[in-house]
């Protein structure tokens, strides 16, 4: 059908096609965007900075580039995760839990594709509110942490922790101080956030 339309010069009247150009009926649902693409689109739209890392070496290299770019090479870092501290102990950073530190370094629970938000809990924040923590964030996540909705994330947290659920579960979804506030991000604390996404699938 597409070939005949092109041959006779019939204009496209709003037909929907897949990525191969095959016509899809107008009443068929549009193909769903993969969660990784959807997350990247929404995360960048929210003002986040994203760096994809194929392996651990690339992650360390990208981390070093962030430090250089922002002149954070010899800074104090708020980091409560011992594993992350060990991964970056070769740097000149000073790791502590000082709220006046230059930046907050952490992992996360999940990456929510339909909003471009990062789901965190007391496992990362302790008993601190987002507003208590430094303005600058570097978050390390894995591609296996990409999920569609916050509801799915809460179910997975519930399963993983059984009866010892973490508290302080929240999302970080505003990454640009100058972004116009609307109903969806009202009350959220903007963070200058870098996401290092490590491929693990």
């Amino acid at each position: 059908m597409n070939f005949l339309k092109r041959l006779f010069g019939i204009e496209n009247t709003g037909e929907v096609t897949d990525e191969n150009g095959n016509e899809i009926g107008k009443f068929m649902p549009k193909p769903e965007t993969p969660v990784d693409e959807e997350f990247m689109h929404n995360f960048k739209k929210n003002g986040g900075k994203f760096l994809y890392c194929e392996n651990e070496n690339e992650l360390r290299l990208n981390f070093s580039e962030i430090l250089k770019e922002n002149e954070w090479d010899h800074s104090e870092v708020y980091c409560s995760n011992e594993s992350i501290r060990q991964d970056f102990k070769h740097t000149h950073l000073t790791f502590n839990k000082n709220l006046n530190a230059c930046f907050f370094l952490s992992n996360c629970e999940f990456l929510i594709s339909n909003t471009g938000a990062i789901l965190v809990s007391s496992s990362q924040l302790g008993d601190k509110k987002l507003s208590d923590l430094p303005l600058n964030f570097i978050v390390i996540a894995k591609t296996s942490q990409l999920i569609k909705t916050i509801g799915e994330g809460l179910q997975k947290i519930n399963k993983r922790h059984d009866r010892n659920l973490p508290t302080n579960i929240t999302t970080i979804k505003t990454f640009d101080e100058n972004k116009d506030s609307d109903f969806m991000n009202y009350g959220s604390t903007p963070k200058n956030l870098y996401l290092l996404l490590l491929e693990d699938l």
Side-chain angles (χ1 to χ4, degrees):
M1 188 64 149
N2 285 338
F3 172 74
L4 290 175
K5 284 182 180 179
R6 285 198 302 275
L7 186 65
F8 293 111
I10 299 169
E11 286 188 21
N12 185 333
T13 55
E15 70 179 24
V16 180
T17 59
D18 64 16
E19 67 256 6
N20 300 317
N22 300 317
E23 190 176 340
I24 301 170
K26 63 180 179 179
F27 298 110
M28 292 292 290
K30 288 184 182 177
E32 212 169 285
T33 308
V35 289
D36 54 350
E37 281 180 39
E38 184 180 43
F39 175 78
M40 283 186 273
H41 172 76
N42 289 327
F43 179 75
K44 286 180 184 174
K45 192 171 78 175
N46 292 343
K49 300 172 194 77
F50 167 83
L51 292 161
Y52 173 77
C53 311
E54 284 189 358
N55 52 50
E56 296 277 354
N57 287 338
E58 202 168 303
L59 187 142
R60 288 191 184 91
L61 180 65
N62 285 333
F63 182 77
S64 296
E65 289 301 315
I66 293 169
L67 297 184
K68 279 183 202 165
E69 181 185 316
N70 293 283
E71 298 181 353
W72 293 343
D73 303 75
H74 293 80
S75 302
E76 273 190 290
V77 184
Y78 188 108
C79 181
S80 56
N81 185 303
E82 186 55 37
S83 174
I84 293 175
R85 289 180 189 224
Q86 288 303 312
D87 287 345
F88 297 106
K89 67 179 180 184
H90 63 282
T91 65
H92 298 290
L93 299 170
T94 305
F95 295 99
N96 57 38
K97 291 187 185 178
N98 179 2
L99 292 173
N100 295 316
C102 185
F103 66 94
F104 175 73
L105 176 62
S106 180
N107 57 5
C108 67
E109 296 288 345
F110 293 103
L111 305 172
I112 314 298
S113 73
N114 71 342
T115 59
I118 297 176
L119 185 65
V120 290
S121 73
S122 54
S123 299
Q124 291 81 38
L125 307 177
D127 60 354
K128 303 291 183 282
K129 294 177 186 169
L130 284 175
S131 56
D132 296 333
L133 295 166
L135 167 67
N136 303 304
F137 272 45
I138 299 178
V139 174
I140 298 166
K142 296 177 178 174
T143 51
S144 59
Q145 291 175 281
L146 283 159
I147 56 172
K148 183 78 177 168
T149 66
I150 190 167
E152 189 182 337
L154 294 173
Q155 284 177 349
K156 285 178 181 284
I157 288 173
N158 197 22
K159 254 187 219 174
R160 186 195 304 154
H161 294 279
D162 196 23
R163 289 191 176 90
N164 297 316
L165 279 175
T167 56
N168 207 7
I169 297 171
T170 189
T171 57
I172 314 167
K173 58 186 175 215
T174 310
F175 313 116
D176 184 353
E177 275 190 291
N178 301 315
K179 195 172 171 63
D180 292 334
S181 184
D182 61 23
F183 175 74
M184 294 305 287
N185 61 26
Y186 178 77
S188 62
T189 306
K191 296 295 180 185
N192 174 37
L193 191 141
Y194 290 86
L195 174 65
L196 291 168
L197 184 62
L198 178 63
E199 176 66 62
D200 72 334
L201 292 174

